[in-house]
Amino acid sequence: MLLEIIILGIIQGFIEWLPISSQGNLVLFMVSFLGINEAEALSISVYLHTGTLISALIYFRKTFWNLLKAMPKYRFRTLGKRENRLITFLILSTLFTGIVGYPVFRLAKIATGFGNLFFMLIGAALIFTGIVQRKAGNLGTRSIDDITMTDGLLLGVIQGLSAFPGVSRSGITISFLLFRRFDSESSLKISFLMSVPAVLAAEIGLNAMKGLPALGSVEVILGCLASFIVGIISIDLLLRIARKVNMWILCLVLGLITVISAI
């Protein structure tokens, strides 16, 4: 199983940066080709995000370093400074991601016991993600400096929905940021900045609930290492691709294939 988990880490390292639900596609791959049961596959997919989380931290290191330096002077209701606004946004978005994401994840866990129905729900979620991305415009003028507490609350709720495999976290958060009239560059950056504390909280929460998956700690660590190495190498290129290519089409295709195969 060691080779398989490393392969899964490599896949995660590539597709995390594309708005096609890395979690959904990893679960489908594990169940269909590796014979891992649905519930275990769901847990493994969450842990493999640790590697790409570290990749995102390194990629956005300047921004996070500035936020850390601003923390001693941080005040929740003071929105004047850029760092203060962004810290407040990240606190709110992470909080509401947890409030929405936990019951969604538990629902996904329950759905894993229904076999083909679970696959159909993942396919439907991929189709939903594709449609949302298709409807998102690209005419906004707001930047990261214009972020508000309302944005944090709303984006946290939206990000929480991605706890269900098939709902692309980056796909729906970037799309919603575009709906909120942010420009495309700011939408991309904000989406991945807010993923870091949310994924970290999910890792801590999952570990507190049940510990490492049955595969064992060594396998999981090596899988995360593979996702980190591939993630840090591929992030810049794949983010550029995600900006230019209509990924919503791929979401729709993957979703339709998944639904049809589950019928």
Side-chain angles (χ1 to χ4, degrees):
M1 192 62 201
L2 184 59
L3 177 60
E4 287 88 344
I5 198 69
I6 291 174
I7 292 172
L8 289 171
I10 292 170
I11 294 172
Q12 165 65 20
F14 275 114
I15 64 177
E16 170 65 16
W17 318 122
L18 302 176
I20 57 173
S21 180
S22 61
Q23 184 183 35
N25 284 289
L26 279 175
V27 169
L28 290 172
F29 184 84
M30 282 186 269
V31 174
S32 301
F33 297 102
L34 301 182
I36 300 174
N37 71 72
E38 289 88 346
E40 189 69 11
L42 187 60
S43 295
I44 293 170
S45 70
V46 174
Y47 278 109
L48 288 177
H49 280 72
T50 303
T52 44
L53 177 151
I54 299 171
S55 300
L57 269 175
I58 293 174
Y59 188 76
F60 294 111
R61 60 190 178 278
K62 291 182 179 179
T63 300
F64 281 110
W65 177 242
N66 288 335
L67 293 179
L68 284 174
K69 289 193 295 183
M71 283 299 294
K73 296 181 179 179
Y74 170 73
R75 298 293 182 272
F76 182 76
R77 292 184 178 275
T78 305
L79 298 179
K81 293 184 178 180
R82 183 177 193 246
E83 285 77 15
N84 225 77
R85 284 175 172 268
L86 193 51
I87 292 171
T88 299
F89 169 82
L90 292 175
I91 290 172
L92 288 173
S93 64
T94 303
L95 175 64
F96 281 91
T97 294
I99 291 172
V100 175
Y102 178 74
V104 170
F105 182 79
R106 298 301 300 175
L107 178 64
K109 278 282 193 180
I110 294 171
T112 59
F114 291 88
N116 283 353
L117 176 60
F118 180 55
F119 272 24
M120 291 183 70
L121 289 173
I122 292 177
L126 282 165
I127 293 171
F128 166 75
T129 299
I131 292 173
V132 170
Q133 290 183 74
R134 177 67 181 86
K135 295 294 184 181
N138 192 21
L139 301 175
T141 57
R142 295 177 69 195
S143 72
I144 196 168
D145 295 327
D146 302 314
I147 208 157
T148 66
M149 287 193 286
T150 301
D151 293 320
L153 189 157
L154 295 176
L155 265 297
V157 172
I158 294 297
Q159 183 169 247
L161 298 178
S162 67
F164 197 96
V167 179
S168 167
R169 190 210 62 79
S170 61
I172 61 170
T173 54
I174 290 171
S175 296
F176 194 77
L177 283 159
L178 293 173
F179 286 135
R180 295 283 294 170
R181 312 302 293 174
F182 283 89
D183 63 66
S184 58
E185 289 296 317
S186 296
S187 297
L188 197 67
K189 184 173 183 178
I190 293 168
S191 173
F192 281 100
L193 287 175
M194 65 187 286
S195 75
V196 172
V199 172
L200 181 60
E203 302 286 347
I204 295 171
L206 187 59
N207 191 59
M209 284 191 295
K210 59 174 293 184
L212 291 173
L215 286 176
S217 57
V218 174
E219 288 89 347
V220 173
I221 290 170
L222 288 175
C224 291
L225 180 61
S227 70
F228 162 70
I229 293 171
V230 175
I232 198 65
I233 292 171
S234 65
I235 182 171
D236 192 61
L237 173 62
L238 293 177
L239 287 180
R240 291 181 189 178
I241 292 173
R243 291 187 190 106
K244 297 178 181 179
V245 178
N246 290 325
M247 301 304 295
W248 65 269
I249 298 175
L250 183 56
C251 267
L252 289 179
V253 171
L254 290 170
L256 288 171
I257 291 173
T258 303
V259 170
I260 292 171
S261 65
I263 295 175

